[in-house]
Amino acid sequence: MSTRGGLVTRVAVDAAAAVLDGVAVRTAVEPLDAVPGLLLKREDTQPVGAFKLRGAFHAASRLDPGVRAAGLVTHSSGNHGRALAWAAARLGVPATVVVPDDAVAAKVEAMAALGARLVRVPVDDRERAADAVVAETGGVLVPPYDHPDVIAGQGTVGAEIAAQVPDVDRVLVPVGGGGLISGIAAALAGTGVSVVGVEPELAGDAAESKRRGEPVRWDRARVARTAADGLRAARLGELTWPHVEALVDDVVTVSEAAIERAARLLHAAGVPAEASGAVATAGALEHPALVGMRTVAVVSGRNADPGWVAQVLAA
């Protein structure tokens, strides 16, 4: 894996793109007519309904086959676990996902449907439980975001945006653990494109970290209040924080009302975003100054809690 100063490089992202050719969908960029000047990067159209396929498959594919044969292990509230289960099935190896007890039921069911063995634990125990599964099975951990191969895989989103929208001036990216924004920022480093993170104000640890210039951890109960379940990471990772610190221009927060408004606009336009997937678009709504001549918002996923969608669309 090519890194410079501990950061993933564009060379690594391009290498990941070669691995993912024919595996991940080269998703479309299309306008959202309700917000002039805003384009959407449709990662919700990936086979597993989210960008996570890119990082999970790339990281799994780079493992020695003998090591991989013992099984892939991760901890995830949904989209990464689903992506790793999909990757494991494609590579012909077993997968175990440690699932926190606050995970959305529909996402848990999707992981099981792909053949993953699920281990349910209290949310604060998931990393420890994943390590225990690795020790028990001899499998290998593929973390949800804090790994260079995962970051490089997610970075292919940024490389595609650069190719699809050569005059892009800003990319808005949802932030949870920071894998997606780290990869996109690495792909676009040195191009003059502004990369701005967007996260729920109820889970605004990355925005506070960026403002203070040091990683900040929020209490798990505090971040659990947001409907954007995919962005409830209580902190940036040891690897993703340096990327955010060095390569990301800013991180802004949005209200739950803005997330709901964005979801309504997206669903009306035929984009079935989950709450986390609507957050970047919410950034454009709540911070209109971010929408320049060519701004792209990443729609990160579509695997919504059906109850949340029904409630939001009925409002």
Side-chain angles (χ1 to χ4, degrees):
M1 173 55 60
S2 178
T3 61
R4 182 179 297 111
L7 303 182
V8 169
T9 67
R10 177 59 190 259
V11 172
V13 173
D14 289 342
V19 171
L20 293 170
D21 186 31
V23 177
V25 172
R26 188 175 189 270
T27 55
V29 174
E30 58 190 43
L32 179 62
D33 292 338
V35 186
L38 186 67
L39 302 170
L40 305 176
K41 177 62 170 167
R42 294 287 310 276
E43 285 299 294
D44 59 295
T45 61
Q46 291 292 350
V48 297
F51 75 95
K52 290 284 192 176
L53 180 150
R54 297 174 183 263
F57 187 87
H58 179 240
S61 71
R62 284 179 53 83
L63 294 168
D64 179 273
V67 173
R68 191 169 61 216
L72 305 177
V73 181
T74 197
H75 51 87
S76 171
S77 60
N79 285 341
H80 176 69
R82 183 174 182 175
L84 195 68
W86 185 93
R90 187 172 178 118
L91 294 167
V93 299
T96 300
V97 183
V98 174
V99 182
D101 55 12
D102 65 348
V104 172
K107 292 185 176 183
V108 176
E109 292 164 7
M111 288 186 270
L114 285 167
R117 177 173 76 102
L118 305 184
V119 178
R120 300 300 298 268
V121 299
V123 64
D124 289 333
D125 293 341
R126 62 184 187 172
E127 294 183 21
R128 184 165 52 250
D131 290 339
V133 171
V134 168
E136 169 199 340
T137 65
V140 59
L141 181 69
V142 180
Y145 53 86
D146 212 31
H147 189 285
D149 290 334
V150 173
I151 291 172
Q154 318 304 26
T156 59
V157 176
E160 288 179 13
I161 290 172
Q164 293 167 308
V165 192
D167 56 350
V168 61
D169 54 26
R170 181 174 290 113
V171 180
L172 306 180
V173 187
V175 182
L180 178 60
I181 196 168
S182 293
I184 289 176
L188 297 175
T191 65
V193 178
S194 174
V195 177
V196 175
V198 187
E199 64 181 347
E201 61 185 21
L202 295 183
D205 56 291
E208 184 179 350
S209 297
K210 186 70 173 172
R211 185 172 64 251
R212 292 176 54 173
E214 61 182 4
V216 174
R217 185 184 187 108
W218 282 26
D219 181 81
R220 175 64 63 177
R222 186 179 182 187
V223 300
R225 299 172 298 163
T226 181
D229 60 285
L231 306 181
R232 289 175 182 162
R235 58 178 171 82
L236 296 168
E238 291 182 7
L239 184 55
T240 59
W241 160 245
H243 285 78
V244 171
E245 181 182 35
L247 303 177
V248 172
D249 292 280
D250 196 9
V251 181
V252 301
T253 62
V254 293
S255 65
E256 295 296 296
I259 296 171
E260 293 177 4
R261 181 185 169 207
R264 284 191 289 271
L265 287 177
L266 290 168
H267 280 256
V271 181
E274 61 185 280
S276 302
V279 164
T281 302
L285 299 180
E286 199 145 83
H287 303 276
L290 293 176
V291 183
M293 294 298 294
R294 301 288 274 178
T295 298
V296 175
V298 179
V299 181
S300 56
R302 69 169 185 263
N303 301 316
D305 177 352
W308 181 83
V309 172
Q311 173 187 331
V312 167
L313 298 185

